Amino acid sequence: MKQSAGILLYQIHKKSLQVLLVHPGGPFWAKKDGGAWTIPKGEFEENEEPLTAAKREFEEETGQTINGSFIPLKSLKQKSGKLIHAWAAEGIMDVTHLKSNTFEMPWPPKSGKIQSFPEVDKAQWFNTEEAHKKIIPGQAGFITELEIILTQKGLTIKK
């Protein structure tokens, strides 16, 4: 079974919870918006610690390292069967400094040309209401769980 690990970065701004989502790069995702965004994440091997993979993938997709306290979130199984392990972490990131790894693929189809595309073409902070509309539906549970955890910790979060 394929597995991915990722980080749901969050910040609280004027009692409003905001989460960082990234938009996948490449021609398949170019014109997709609602239901296309994701947490920064990527696949890892069986012998790799999932949190270590999540931190690595965050850096590969955003160009920024992440440290601090990590809140484990419940793993979610995607329609594809892939299992995503995630952690929430409070932090700040200037999305204008996004620097993602790239991947190569034949493009346009059947052209024989190989083109390079960023794994992530943009990152953006969203309030949770907007994030639920933007994120791939199978990952929305991470946002909901984070809202519950923070509320249980006594934080008052505006919707």
Side-chain angles (χ1 to χ4, degrees):
M1 170 187 0
K2 288 188 176 186
Q3 298 185 85
S4 286
I7 304 289
L8 177 59
L9 191 66
Y10 73 93
Q11 62 184 4
I12 299 172
H13 180 69
K14 296 181 182 176
K15 292 193 178 182
S16 174
L17 175 61
Q18 298 180 334
V19 294
L20 179 83
L21 299 179
V22 296
H23 187 269
F28 177 75
W29 297 100
K31 294 183 179 166
K32 294 183 168 98
D33 188 54
W37 295 68
T38 179
I39 65 171
K41 62 168 186 48
E43 290 185 9
F44 65 96
E45 301 298 323
E46 289 279 333
N47 61 350
E48 187 174 13
E49 172 64 36
L51 180 55
T52 302
K55 291 177 187 179
R56 182 196 71 240
E57 290 294 332
F58 186 90
E59 185 172 0
E60 286 179 4
E61 292 194 350
T62 67
Q64 301 190 30
T65 57
I66 184 154
N67 296 300
S69 298
F70 296 91
I71 302 167
L73 301 173
K74 292 182 184 107
S75 300
L76 296 175
K77 191 171 216 168
Q78 304 301 286
K79 282 183 184 176
S80 66
K82 182 187 287 186
L83 189 63
I84 301 179
H85 307 278
W87 288 261
E90 188 172 9
I92 53 173
M93 182 181 137
D94 181 348
V95 296
T96 62
H97 294 341
L98 181 73
K99 186 176 185 309
S100 175
N101 278 5
T102 58
F103 68 94
E104 293 184 338
M105 65 179 281
W107 192 258
K110 300 179 183 171
S111 67
K113 294 180 183 175
I114 301 291
Q115 290 197 41
S116 183
F117 299 96
E119 280 187 51
V120 165
D121 60 14
K122 55 189 164 188
Q124 190 171 331
W125 288 100
F126 294 102
N127 65 38
T128 54
E129 184 180 343
E130 188 70 11
H132 277 285
K133 295 174 187 171
K134 297 286 187 179
I135 199 163
I136 291 170
Q139 294 179 31
F142 295 136
I143 299 168
T144 302
E145 185 180 0
L146 177 61
E147 290 175 296
I148 292 167
I149 289 168
L150 294 177
T151 301
Q152 288 173 342
K153 287 185 173 188
L155 289 171
T156 304
I157 300 168
K158 289 191 297 185
K159 290 283 181 184

